[in-house]
Amino acid sequence: MADAGHNLSDVLGLAMAGGAAWLARRNAGPRRTYGFGKATVLAALGNALLLIFACGVITVEAIHRFTQPAPVQSGIIITVAAIGFVINLGTAMLFLKDQHKDLNVKGAYLHMMADAAVSLGVVVAGVLIWFTGWAVVDAIVSLLIVAMIMISTWGLLKDSVNLALDAAPAHLDPSEIREALVALEGVDAVHDLHVWGLSTTDAALTAHIVHEREDADSLLAEAQKLAKGRFGISHTTLQLERTALDDCHHC
């Protein structure tokens, strides 16, 4: 039952990931000027929360089985769980290549791998119960699976919450970006710098650049080239200043 419940949450998770990927490709509108890229962040967050919910359900049932052991039909468990393991592992492999590039894809990949691990754990539990008759193995293996899922889900939850709060993506360091901009010729200071995720794959950058160069257009082009070439940020909004503005309250 725990494996079935987890598979159901997995189907919902994949549906969210697919729907978010479709939304992310839609064009921006007059009100949603950034488009729907943030839907991928919400899907990744939803995936993490679904996994945590599934772990809670499994934990409650496992604890219940410790106090009230129930007969286990090992043959049916082994057969059905083995089929589930093969299907889930095969599906997870489809996401393996891109899971480090897109948090939304990573959420789907982790969901499928966790589901495959659950199915494998059910197979192991079924085999052990078959040969030993120890029904308590069912509950023990379930709790081990929960621990493994929670460990793998923590990173996804942390990254998706950070992106939902417009924090800088994990692979971008605002301090490093600031230093790189300051190192450009003729730049005296960089302030009011913000970096946030537009989606699970795209980031945006805004900053005020205090400079002493006469060729402001060339400086702007160099800064944009730096942001895109070195840090992979294609959406930049840069304000060039001869002197730092006094009304910049958040600098």
Side-chain angles (χ1 to χ4, degrees), residues 145-156:
I145 291 169
V146 165
M148 183 179 64
I149 294 174
M150 290 300 295
I151 291 173
S152 65
T153 302
W154 172 247
L156 174 64

Side-chain angles (χ1 to χ4, degrees), residues 181 184 218-234 236 238:
L181 290 174
L184 292 174
S218 296
L219 173 59
L220 182 60
E222 290 173 18
Q224 290 176 328
K225 183 178 180 180
L226 171 68
K228 185 173 183 179
R230 180 170 170 181
F231 300 103
I233 304 174
S234 56
T236 56
L238 303 173

Side-chain angles (χ1 to χ4, degrees), residues 56-70 135-136 138-140 142-143:
V57 172
I58 296 172
T59 300
V60 170
E61 181 63 21
I63 293 174
H64 178 72
R65 288 298 177 92
F66 275 120
T67 57
Q68 299 181 22
V136 72
D138 188 21
I140 294 174
S142 295
L143 292 179

